[in-house]
C-alpha cells in the first residue's frame, strides 16, 4: 500500500511531467487547472483585498524562464540591462504578467505626454506661468513650430515679470513629459542654487518661468526677450517604457531664435534610474560657471575645454 | 576623447623583484547628451622589467639600495620618466612583507613609483592581484565559470576564487618553491623554512641543513605540499598538515570549482625538462613537476594563465587602479592623498539622524588615534540611489560636524561615496566648510572598513580621479 | 498634361506635378506640417484622379528636385534602363497600377519593367493603391540579396536583432543578443544602435559580435549603426565590419544634413568588400523613414511618400543587403497615429520592393503618438502577409536605449508560425543544430539565453 505522502509525491510528479514544457509544448493538458479555479471563484464574493502592484516589480530581477540552463548566470546577465529579458513565453507569445506590465508602462508613458503639470506644483514653486501658441496637447505634438512661439500676451507677461537682464535665467517646460517635471523639479532647483554658490553665482528663484506646451527652441525666444546671459531650461523628455520621468536640461549662452542646435549643451537622462536630479543640478551649476567663464555653450564650449 | 595614464606596478616578493609599466586608456562611455561616464577601456603593458632575485643583505633583510638601483636602471630602460607616472602600486608580498624592515623599505621606495602610492599587501590582496594578473577573473567572466588561481611563489601560495567575474574568496598557504634552498653545485641543503622543519620532525624525514639531497629524498615532503594544495580546493583526503600550512585562512569551499589556473614562478616549472632538478637552487622545479601529477591536473580543468611569474606585478600595474565617477567635487590642493584608512558608516548609521551620523564619525575617528595622535581617514558611505536635496543637505551637515576636530587641525577631508551623489554632496559640504578648505568628495567607488585608499591627481580635464583601493580585510 | 479634374461638379486645379503628388497622398500629418496637404478629402480624390491620368513621361520630366541641383535625382535618372523606360513612358499611372496588379503579370515581368521606373513613378503608383493593393502588389515581388547568408527567399521571414543598451554595456548587449538568438531573431542581422558613436566604441562592439559569431558559428551578419564615416574609420583600423550602415534621405540636401554624399557610400561599400567579414556581394544596410527630409528642411516642398521613394532610388545604386524603413519613430508631427503609420509601412514596403530593394520595416511607435502595441502587431501581420523581408526583434518590443517600441523576439516567432515561414536557410539549420527550433517550431530551449553560458 502506498501511504498518503507517497501518493501526494506521485501526483506532484505526474503533474509536473504534464506541465513541463520540456516534455511537451501541448497546451491542452495544462488548461484543466485554470478552469477548476474559475469554478471556485464564481461562488466567492469580492473581498477588500488589493492585488499586488505589478509596476513595483523590479524588471531587472523578474525571471520567468522555467528551466534555464544556468539560472544564476541568466540573472546576472539580466541585471546588466534594463531590457525585458528572461520573461519567457506562452507558445510564441508573451506571458500574461509581462504583457500587462508592458501595457502599464506604456500607459504611464502616454499619460506623461498628454497630462499637465499640476497647478499646485506651479504655485508651490512660485513659477511665472506662460504658454506657447499651441492650443492643446494634440496641436502641441503635431506642430513643433508653434511650441517655440509665444503670442503677444505671453510676451508681455515675460517682459513684465523678468526685470533687468538676468545673468542666469532658469526655465521649466512640460515638454513631452509632465511627469518628469513633477518628479524632478523640486530636487534639482535647490541643488543648482547650492552649486552656483560654490562659484559665487546665483539665480532668482522668484523669476523662474514655467512654459506650458514647451518645445526646446522656446528657450531661444526667452533668451531674446530677457537678454539673459545663460538660459538654463529644464524640460520633460519623450518618455520611454523604462521611465516616463526622464528630464533634460538644455543650456545656452545668449541664445537667439534660429541659432544652430549645436550651441545648446544638453544633459539628458535625469531621473531616479539615470542621473539623480540632485546630482544633475550640481553638475549643471558647474556647467553654468564654465559657460560664463568662456562665454560659450554647446560644441563651442567643448572645443575650448 | 580618450586619454591615457601610466601606472606602475612593483612586486617585491620573497624570492624575486620586478616591475611593469602599464598604459591605461580612459574614455568617456556616455553619449554627448548625458553626463560623462569615464571608464578604463584598455590596458596595455608598455614595459616589463627583468626579474631579479630580491636582494637581501643578511638572511632576512632586504637590501633597499640594491632595489633602488635596480628600479633606476629599469626606468632608464623603459624610457619612461618617473614624473610621468600617474598612479600605481608597490606590492610587498609573501615572507618579505612580514620582515621587520618592510615599513622602512616602503618608505625608501616611495619616490620610485612616481608621485603616488605605496601599498603593502596582505595575503588576501596579493591573491586577488595575482588572480587578476593571471587572467583568472577574465576567464571566469568570459566562460561564465568558476576559476581558482594558485599563485605559487617562493614562500607562499596565494589562492583566489572567481566566479563569473565576481571574487568569491581568497586563501593563502605557506607553500612555495623556496621553502628549501639547495646549493646547486654541491646539492647541499642551505635553508629549510620553519613550517617544513616541523613536518620533517614529525614525519621523521632525514632532511637537515648541510645534507646532500636527491629528488627522491624530497618526494615525501613534496607529496604533502601537493596534498595540501589539493585540499585547498576540496580534493583528496584532508592532509594532517593542512592546518599547519594555512597562512591566514583557507577557502570556504563553495561546491563547484570547475577550473584552476597557476601563476607565480612555480607555474613556469610544469613543463620544463628536468635536466638539473636544482637549477634554481630550490625545490620549485620539483614542486612544479609534482603538481603536474596531482589531482588538480586530473580532476579540474587547467586553464592557461595570461601571466605566470609576472602575474602579481602585472596585477599591481594594470588591475589595481579604478577611476571615480565623473561628477565629483574636490579642491586640487587636497591631492594626492595616500594610504588613507577607510572608515565606513554602517547602514543603520548612515540612515540615522544627523546626530547619529555625526557621533558615528567622531567615535570611529578615535579608532585610528595612535598615542593620542589622530590620523587622516577617508569616510566611506553608500549614498542614495535617488536622493532628495534635503537628504544631501543633512548628510553634509552631519559630516562637517563629525569632522569638526579634523577641520580644526586643517586635515583634508576625503569622502568616498558608492552611489552617484558626490558632486551635490561635495558642493553641500563645501558650503559648510571654511573658505578654500581642502577636501575630496568622490563617488563610483565602493569601500569597506579595513580598506586603504590612494587618490591620484585629476584626469580628463579634472573630471575624474584615479583611485587605488587596497582591500586588506576580505569578507 | 492635365492638372485639373472635376468632382461632384466642382473643378479642382493643381499647380504642378508635385502639387498633385502631395495632394494625392493619403492623409499624413507631415504633409500638413509642410503645408502641402489636400485641404479636403474631395480634393485628395481629385488629385488622385489627375494623377491616374499623368503619364510616366510626365513624372520623368518633373522630378521632385531638379536634376542639375540634386545628386539623388541624378542617380535615379542616370540609373534607369532607357530601353525599359521607352517601352512604358506613354503609360498612365492608372495603366501602370493595373498592369502591376494583373494576375498575369509576374515577378519576372515586373522586374523587366521596373528597371525603367523612376522613384517618382513608383511613388505615384503607390498613391493610387489601397492598403490591400499595396500588400497584393508587394507579395508578388521577390527580392533576394546575399551577404553571409541570403535574405528574402520564398517562405522565409527574417529579423534584425536589435540589442540596444542605454550605456552600451557590452555584457548587457550580449544578454539581449543571446536571448534573441534563442528565439530565432537575428537571422537578417545582429545590429546595435550605439550610444557612443566613436570609432573606439564601434570597434569594441564589432569585435565582440564577431568573437561571439565565430564561437557559436552563427550564420548571419553583424553591424554597429554608427555614422558611415565612423564605420569606415573602424574598418581601416581593422575592425571586423559586417554590413555597413547609414541613414539616408531622398535629397542631396538631406544626405548632407546626415553628413555624407554618394561618393562616401561608394567608398564605404568598396572598403567593406575589400576588408569586411561579409562575403557579399550585398554589404550595405540603409535606414529610411517618411518625414526625415522635412525634419531637416530638405524636402523641396515635396510630399513625404515621394521623398521616401527617392531614398530607395538612391539606395538601389549601392545594391544593399537590406533597407529598413523606421516607420513610426519620427513622431506624430509626421505620422500622427496608427492609421498613418500603417499606411506608411505598407507604402514603403511596396515602393522599396518595386525599386528592387530587399525591404524590411521597423514597425514602431513613440509614446507621444496615438498608437500602441496592438497597432504594431496589426501592421506586422499585414507586412508579413505582404512578404516583408525582415522586421526588428527586440526584448519584449521595448527599446531601452532609443525609448520607443517596436516588434519583439516573440513577434518574429509568432509570424513564422502563423504564416508558415522560416528563418534564412543557413540560420534555420543553425537553430536546428542548437536545438532552438525543430521543423519550424520553437523548442523548449527557445527563450533560454543561458544556453549560451554553458559550453
Amino acid at each position: 500500500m502506498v501511504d498518503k505522502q507517497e501518493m501526494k509525491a506521485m501526483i506532484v510528479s505526474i503533474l509536473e511531467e504534464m506541465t513541463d514544457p520540456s516534455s511537451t509544448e501541448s497546451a491542452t493538458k495544462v488548461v484543466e487547472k485554470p478552469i477548476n479555479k474559475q469554478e471556485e471563484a464564481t461562488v466567492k464574493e469580492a473581498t477588500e483585498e488589493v492585488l499586488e502592484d505589478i509596476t513595483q516589480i523590479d524588471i531587472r530581477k523578474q525571471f520567468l524562464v522555467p528551466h534555464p540552463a544556468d539560472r544564476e548566470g541568466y540573472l546576472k546577465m539580466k541585471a546588466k540591462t534594463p531590457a525585458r529579458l528572461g520573461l519567457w513565453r506562452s507558445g510564441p507569445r508573451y506571458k500574461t504578467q509581462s504583457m500587462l506590465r508592458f501595457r502599464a508602462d506604456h500607459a504611464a508613458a502616454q499619460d506623461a505626454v498628454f497630462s499637465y503639470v499640476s497647478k499646485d506644483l506651479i504655485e508651490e514653486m512660485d513659477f511665472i506661468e506662460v504658454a506657447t501658441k499651441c492650443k492643446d496637447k494634440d496641436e502641441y505634438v503635431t506642430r513643433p513650430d508653434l511650441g517655440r512661439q509665444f503670442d503677444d500676451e505671453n510676451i508681455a507677461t515675460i517682459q513684465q515679470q523678468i526685470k533687468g537682464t538676468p545673468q542666469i535665467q532658469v526655465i521649466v517646460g512640460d515638454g513631452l513629459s509632465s511627469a518628469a517635471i513633477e518628479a524632478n523639479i523640486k530636487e534639482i532647483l535647490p541643488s543648482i542654487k547650492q552649486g552656483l554658490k560654490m562659484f559665487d553665482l546665483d539665480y532668482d528663484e522668484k523669476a523662474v518661468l514655467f512654459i506650458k506646451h514647451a518645445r526646446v527652441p522656446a528657450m531661444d525666444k526667452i533668451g531674446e526677450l530677457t537678454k539673459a546671459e545663460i538660459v538654463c531650461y529644464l524640460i520633460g523628455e519623450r518618455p520611454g517604457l523604462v521611465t516616463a520621468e526622464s528630464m533634460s536640461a538644455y543650456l545656452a549662452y545668449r541664445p537667439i531664435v534660429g541659432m544652430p542646435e549645436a550651441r545648446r549643451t544638453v544633459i539628458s537622462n535625469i531621473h531616479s534610474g539615470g542621473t539623480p536630479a540632485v546630482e544633475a543640478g550640481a553638475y549643471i551649476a558647474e556647467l553654468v560657471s564654465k559657460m560664463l567663464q568662456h562665454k560659450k555653450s554647446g560644441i563651442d564650449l567643448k572645443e575650448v575645454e | 576623447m580618450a586619454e591615457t595614464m601610466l601606472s606602475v606596478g612593483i612586486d617585491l616578493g620573497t624570492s624575486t623583484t620586478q616591475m611593469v609599466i602599464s598604459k591605461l586608456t580612459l574614455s568617456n562611455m556616455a553619449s554627448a547628451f548625458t553626463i560623462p561616464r569615464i571608464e578604463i577601456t584598455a590596458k596595455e603593458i608598455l614595459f616589463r622589467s627583468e626579474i631579479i632575485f630580491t636582494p637581501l643583505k643578511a638572511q632576512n633583510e632586504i637590501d633597499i639600495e640594491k632595489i633602488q638601483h635596480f628600479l633606476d636602471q629599469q626606468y632608464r630602460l623603459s624610457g619612461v620618466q618617473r614624473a610621468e607616472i600617474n598612479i600605481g602600486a608597490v606590492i610587498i608580498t609573501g615572507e618579505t612583507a612580514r620582515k621587520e624592515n618592510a615599513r622602512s623599505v616602503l618608505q625608501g621606495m616611495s619616490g620610485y613609483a612616481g608621485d603616488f602610492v605605496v601599498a603593502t599587501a596582505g595575503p588576501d590582496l596579493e591573491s586577488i592581484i595575482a588572480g587578476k594578473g593571471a587572467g583568472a577573473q577574465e576567464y571566469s567572466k568570459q566562460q561564465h565559470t568558476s576559476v581558482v588561481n594558485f599563485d605559487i611563489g617562493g614562500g607562499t601560495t596565494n589562492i583566489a576564487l572567481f566566479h563569473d567575474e565576481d571574487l568569491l574568496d581568497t586563501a593563502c598557504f605557506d607553500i612555495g618553491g623556496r621553502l628549501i634552498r639547495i646549493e646547486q653545485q654541491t646539492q647541499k641543503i642551505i635553508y629549510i623554512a620553519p613550517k617544513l622543519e616541523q613536518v620533517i620532525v614529525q614525519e621523521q624525514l632525514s632532511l637537515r641543513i648541510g645534507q646532500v639531497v636527491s629528488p627522491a629524498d624530497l618526494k615525501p615532503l613534496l607529496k604533502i605540499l601537493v596534498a595540501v594544495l589539493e585540499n585547498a580546493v576540496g580534493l583528496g583526503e584532508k592532509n594532517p598538515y593542512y592546518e599547519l600550512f594555512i597562512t591566514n585562512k583557507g577557502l570556504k569551499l563553495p561546491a563547484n570549482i570547475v577550473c584552476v589556473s597557476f601563476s607565480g614562478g612555480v607555474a613556469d616549472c610544469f613543463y620544463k625538462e628536468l635536466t638539473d632538478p636544482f637549477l634554481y637552487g630550490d625545490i620549485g622545479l620539483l614542486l612544479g613537476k609534482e603538481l603536474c601529477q596531482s589531482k588538480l591536473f586530473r580532476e579540474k580543468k587547467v586553464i592557461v594563465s595570461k601571466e605566470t611569474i609576472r602575474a602579481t606585478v602585472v596585477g599591481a600595474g594594470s588591475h589595481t587602479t579604478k577611476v571615480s565617477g565623473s561628477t565629483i567635487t574636490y579642491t586640487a590642493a587636497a591631492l594626492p592623498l595616500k594610504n588613507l584608512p577607510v572608515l565606513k558608516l554602517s547602514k543603520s548609521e548612515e540612515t540615522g539622524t544627523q546626530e547619529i551620523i555625526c557621533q558615528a564619525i567622531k567615535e570611529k575617528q578615535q579608532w585610528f588615534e595612535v598615542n593620542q595622535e589622530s590620523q587622516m581617514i577617508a569616510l566611506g558611505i553608500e549614498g542614495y540611489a535617488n536622493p532628495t536635496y534635503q537628504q544631501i543637505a543633512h548628510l553634509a551637515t552631519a559630516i562637517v560636524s563629525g569632522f569638526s576636530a579634523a577641520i580644526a587641525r586643517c586635515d583634508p577631508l576625503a569622502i568616498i561615496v558608492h552611489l552617484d551623489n558626490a558632486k551635490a554632496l561635495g558642493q553641500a559640504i563645501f558650503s559648510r566648510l571654511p573658505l578654500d578648505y581642502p577636501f575630496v568628495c568622490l563617488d563610483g567607488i565602493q569601500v569597506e572598513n579595513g580598506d586603504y585608499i590612494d587618490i591620484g591627481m585629476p584626469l580628463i580635464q579634472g573630471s575624474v580621479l584615479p583611485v587605488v583601493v587596497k582591500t586588506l580585510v576580505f569578507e | 498634361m492635365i492638372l485639373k479634374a472635376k468632382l461632384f461638379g466642382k473643378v479642382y486645379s493643381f499647380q504642378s506635378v508635385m502639387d498633385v503628388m502631395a495632394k494625392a497622398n493619403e492623409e499624413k500629418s507631415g504633409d500638413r506640417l509642410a503645408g502641402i496637404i489636400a485641404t479636403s478629402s474631395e480634393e485628395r480624390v481629385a488629385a488622385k484622379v489627375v494623377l491616374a491620368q499623368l503619364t510616366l513621361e510626365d513624372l520623368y520630366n518633373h522630378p521632385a528636385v531638379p536634376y542639375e541641383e540634386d545628386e539623388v535625382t541624378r542617380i535615379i535618372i542616370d540609373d534607369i534602363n532607357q530601353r525599359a523606360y521607352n517601352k512604358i513612358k506613354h503609360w498612365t499611372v492608372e495603366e501602370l497600377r493595373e498592369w502591376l496588379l494583373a494576375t498575369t503579370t509576374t515577378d519576372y515581368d515586373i522586374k523587366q519593367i521596373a528597371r525603367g521606373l523612376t522613384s517618382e513613378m513608383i511613388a505615384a503608383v503607390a498613391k493610387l493603391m489601397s492598403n490591400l493593393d499595396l500588400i497584393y502588389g508587394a507579395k508578388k515581388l521577390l527580392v533576394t540579396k546575399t551577404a553571409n547568408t541570403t535574405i528574402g527567399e520564398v517562405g522565409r521571414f527574417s529579423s534584425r536583432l536589435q540589442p540596444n543598451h542605454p550605456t552600451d554595456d557590452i555584457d548587457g548587449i550580449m544578454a539581449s543578443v543571446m536571448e534573441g538568438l534563442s528565439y530565432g531573431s537575428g537571422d537578417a542581422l545582429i545590429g546595435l544602435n550605439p550610444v557612443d558613436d566613436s570609432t573606439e566604441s564601434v570597434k569594441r562592439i564589432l569585435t565582440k559580435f564577431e568573437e561571439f559569431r565565430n564561437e557559436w558559428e552563427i550564420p548571419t551578419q553583424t553591424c554597429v549603426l554608427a555614422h558611415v564615416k565612423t564605420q569606415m574609420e573602424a574598418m581601416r583600423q581593422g575592425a571586423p565590419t559586417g554590413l555597413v550602415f547609414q541613414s539616408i534621405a531622398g535629397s542631396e540636401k538631406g544626405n548632407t544634413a546626415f553628413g555624407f554624399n554618394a561618393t562616401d557610400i561608394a567608398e564605404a561599400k568598396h572598403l567593406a568588400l575589400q576588408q569586411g567579414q561579409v562575403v557579399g556581394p550585398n554589404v550595405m544596410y540603409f535606414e529610411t523613414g517618411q518625414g526625415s527630409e522635412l525634419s531637416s528642411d530638405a524636402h523641396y516642398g515635396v510630399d513625404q511618400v515621394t521623398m521616401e521613394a527617392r531614398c530607395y532610388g538612391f539606395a538601389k545604386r549601392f545594391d544593399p543587403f537590406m533597407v529598413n524603413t523606421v516607420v513610426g519613430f519620427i513622431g506624430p508631427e509626421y505620422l500622427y497615429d496608427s492609421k498613418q503609420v500603417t499606411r506608411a509601412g505598407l507604402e514603403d514596403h511596396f515602393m522599396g520592393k518595386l525599386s528592387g530593394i530587399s525591404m524590411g520595416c521597423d514597425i514602431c511607435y513613440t509614446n507621444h503618438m496615438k498608437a500602441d502595441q496592438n497597432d504594431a502587431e496589426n501592421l506586422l501581420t499585414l507586412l508579413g502577409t505582404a512578404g516583408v523581408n525582415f522586421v526588428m526583434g527586440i526584448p519584449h518590443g521595448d527599446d531601452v536605449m532609443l525609448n520607443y517600441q517596436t516588434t519583439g523576439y516573440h513577434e518574429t516567432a509568432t509570424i513564422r508560425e502563423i504564416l508558415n515561414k522560416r528563418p534564412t536557410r543557413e540560420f534555420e539549420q543553425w537553430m536546428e543544430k542548437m536545438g532552438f527550433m525543430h521543423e519550424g517550431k520553437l523548442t523548449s530551449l527557445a527563450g533560454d539565453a543561458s544556453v549560451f553560458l554553458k559550453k
Side-chain angles (χ1 to χ4, degrees), chain A residues 229-241:
Chain A
E229 204 172 352
I230 300 279
V231 172
C232 170
Y233 186 14
L234 304 162
I235 183 168
E237 282 176 17
R238 175 165 63 78
L241 295 200

Side-chain angles (χ1 to χ4, degrees), chain C residues 190-234:
Chain C
I190 299 171
L192 177 92
N193 297 90
V195 176
D196 175 5
D197 191 296
S198 70
T199 312
E200 277 310 310
S201 149
V202 170
K203 272 166 63 183
R204 182 176 64 97
I205 297 161
L206 280 174
T207 305
K208 181 70 191 180
F209 279 174
E210 192 55 12
E211 269 172 26
F212 188 78
R213 208 177 68 84
N214 285 334
E215 186 180 351
W216 294 93
E217 300 171 327
I218 309 164
T220 187
Q221 292 66 228
T222 61
C223 183
V224 175
L225 286 73
H227 192 273
V228 67
K229 288 180 179 170
T230 312
Q231 294 169 82
M232 286 162 78
E233 184 52 33

